[in-house]
Amino acid sequence: MTTPEHDELRDQVRERYASAARTVTSGTGAACCGASAAEGCCSEPTVLDESFGAARYSAEERGELPYAAVAASLGCGNPLAVAELREGETVLDLGSGGGIDVILSARRTGPTGIAYGLDMTDEMLALARMNAEAAGAANARFLKGGIEAVPLPDAHVDVVISNCVINLSTDKPAVFAEIHRVLRPGGRTGISDVVAEDRLSPADRATRGDHAGCIAGALSFAEYRELLTTAGFTDVRVESTHQVADGMHGAVVRAVKPADRPAAH
């Protein structure tokens, strides 16, 4: 159940990302995300923040993409580096933004695969569709919706990825329940997110950055593992990749939805 405070935070996130899409579409600069995001987006698109955005991808990966997809990257990692996508798989990217991970996923899964991108922002969806068309990613599909209520059937995808978006949700148990629901038995996650050291309280995290700036809503390492386990996942791993602020880390998250067990005879 949402509260007025949750609705306000969601509106702040939506406007921040809509503004980022407008910035890229207008050609006035690159989007940015991080503890200093409240100060405005990056004014120089050729400078890559080493903690956030396109810098988390290899030069080869960036070279595969339209400029606008790279400029709109707001992530804190590269979920494809851990998702190990395979030919013919169906992939869902939660909070797909300008489409960078959807386009890369579409290429890795090939013409027999499908890469879905889910975003709640009309401006980002329009930008992502433009980028996918420019990249020739015919197997990319974009859906409008929130990550707490994914508009896909049960057991529909093989892999769920996400890049620095789950920390923005005000109902993270619902997000993990939805990931579990849409995954096929044996399906897996490959998520990049901002995660807090276990020593930091929610108040401590809030002092390091605002909610829409990717910091204040972050779970701790222990909380992430606990919520994924409670949602029904196994083989849960949450591992730091780099520090983004004092006690705050970019991290990769892996988990598996258990395969169906054969019926007893």
Side-chain angles (χ1 to χ4, degrees):
M1 187 174 88
T2 62
T3 67
E5 181 184 6
H6 288 173
D7 290 340
E8 182 179 355
L9 284 171
R10 178 173 290 188
D11 288 344
Q12 289 175 7
V13 171
R14 182 184 289 110
E15 177 50 35
R16 176 69 60 81
Y17 282 76
S19 176
R22 290 192 293 267
T23 296
V24 173
T25 302
S26 68
T28 58
C32 65
C33 182
S36 60
E39 300 170 5
C41 284
C42 312
S43 59
E44 177 48 70
T46 61
V47 177
L48 298 181
D49 185 319
E50 292 301 318
S51 296
F52 292 93
R56 306 310 304 176
Y57 297 82
S58 68
E60 181 180 359
E61 287 172 318
R62 296 196 300 269
E64 296 179 40
L65 299 162
Y67 166 76
V70 176
S73 176
L74 292 163
C76 54
N78 180 353
L80 278 75
V82 298
E84 300 176 355
L85 303 184
R86 302 167 192 138
E87 187 88 13
E89 288 189 317
T90 299
V91 183
L92 169 64
D93 179 20
L94 297 180
S96 49
I100 185 170
D101 293 316
V102 177
I103 295 169
L104 291 171
S105 295
R107 292 190 170 168
R108 282 157 179 70
T109 59
T112 59
I114 297 175
Y116 289 104
L118 175 68
D119 205 279
M120 67 176 178
T121 309
D122 289 326
E123 291 87 345
M124 277 296 188
L125 288 167
L127 178 60
R129 291 182 178 115
M130 180 186 75
N131 287 332
E133 182 177 359
N139 57 331
R141 308 278 188 273
F142 293 95
L143 309 169
K144 184 176 181 179
I147 62 175
E148 301 86 359
V150 178
L152 286 174
D154 295 355
H156 192 71
V157 304
D158 300 296
V159 187
V160 173
I161 62 173
S162 186
N163 197 347
C164 209
V165 170
I166 293 175
N167 63 81
L168 300 173
S169 174
T170 56
D171 190 354
K172 294 175 180 66
V175 175
F176 296 133
E178 281 293 271
I179 294 173
H180 192 275
R181 180 185 67 79
V182 300
L183 278 172
R184 295 178 178 129
R188 63 196 186 279
T189 64
I191 294 168
S192 294
D193 212 352
V194 171
V195 182
E197 293 178 8
D198 294 336
R199 64 183 173 85
L200 297 183
S201 69
D204 292 331
R205 300 168 212 173
T207 66
R208 286 155 172 79
D210 67 14
H211 191 93
C214 310
I215 300 292
L219 295 169
S220 71
F221 284 87
E223 289 167 345
Y224 229 119
R225 288 190 290 266
E226 179 182 358
L227 286 175
L228 282 167
T229 301
T230 299
F233 288 95
T234 59
D235 300 325
V236 176
R237 288 176 286 170
V238 185
E239 302 166 337
S240 172
T241 56
H242 60 289
Q243 183 168 297
V244 301
D246 177 31
M248 310 295 295
H249 299 258
V252 293
V253 180
R254 301 173 176 89
V256 175
K257 178 177 178 175
D260 286 336
R261 295 176 180 173
H265 295 288

